[in-house]
Amino acid sequence: MSRLIDISLTISNALPVWPGDPSITLERVSDIDAGAAINMSRLDAGVHTGTHVDAPLHFIPHDLSVDELELDRFIGECQVIMLDGAGPITADELAAASIATTTERLLIKTSNSQWWQSNPETFNKDFRALHSSAARWIVERGIRLVGVDYLSVEAFEAEEHHPTHNILLGARVGVIEGLNLAQVEPGRYRLMCLPLKLKGSDGAPARAVLETLD
Ligand SMILES: [Zn+2]
C-alpha cells in the first residue's frame, strides 16, 4: 500500500477557475497520432489554477513572490483536521478543533472536499473559508502554513479589504489553496508541497502530497 496520498487537483480544461480568472487551456499542439514526431502539449492558465500556493505578493505590493518563498514551510509534519460545520470558519471553531500546540502546518478538511468528489466541474460560491478571526487565530498560534480544500482561503463574498488573505500573507503564513482532502482522515502526516518556481509571480500551481507517518 502506498504511503503517499495525492491531495492535488487534476488540472484539465474542465477544472473550475475562480470567476474572472484566466480559463485553463491544456491542448496537444503536436500529436503522434496525427503524424507528428512527438506528442507535445501547451498549458495556458492563471497561476492560481487548481492546487496552488499564494505568495504574499498576491495581496501585498512589492512583497515576496512565489519563487522567493522558503520551501521548508511547505515540507514537513502537518496536522489535518476535519471541520463538520457550515458557514465561515471562525476562530472559535479552530479553538475547539483539537489542534496540537506543536502544529506548525495545518490542513483544514471541510465539506468542500466532498464537493470536489460530487461536482468536480462546477464552481461552488458557497465553499467554506476562513473568517478573518480564524486567520488571526492562526497567526497568533504561530502556525506557519495553512492549507484549505477550496480555491481560496477567503469566502467568495469576502469581508471588506480581504482581511483573511492580508492577515495570513502579511504574517508570511504559507497558504495552499485548492486541496482535495476527500481521501484523507484527520491526523498527522508529512506534507510535501512544491510550488512551481515562477519568477516574480504572485502564486504558482503546486503538487501536494501527504505521506503517512509510522
Ligand atoms: Zn490563490
Side-chain angles (χ1 to χ4, degrees), residues 48 52 54 58 177:
H48 297 261
H52 69 277
D54 276 6
H58 190 32
E177 297 172 329

Side-chain angles (χ1 to χ4, degrees), residues 47-48 52-54 58 151-152 165 175 177 202-203:
V47 296
H48 297 261
H52 69 277
V53 165
D54 276 6
H58 190 32
L151 293 171
S152 178
H165 270 100
V175 172
E177 297 172 329
D202 44 274

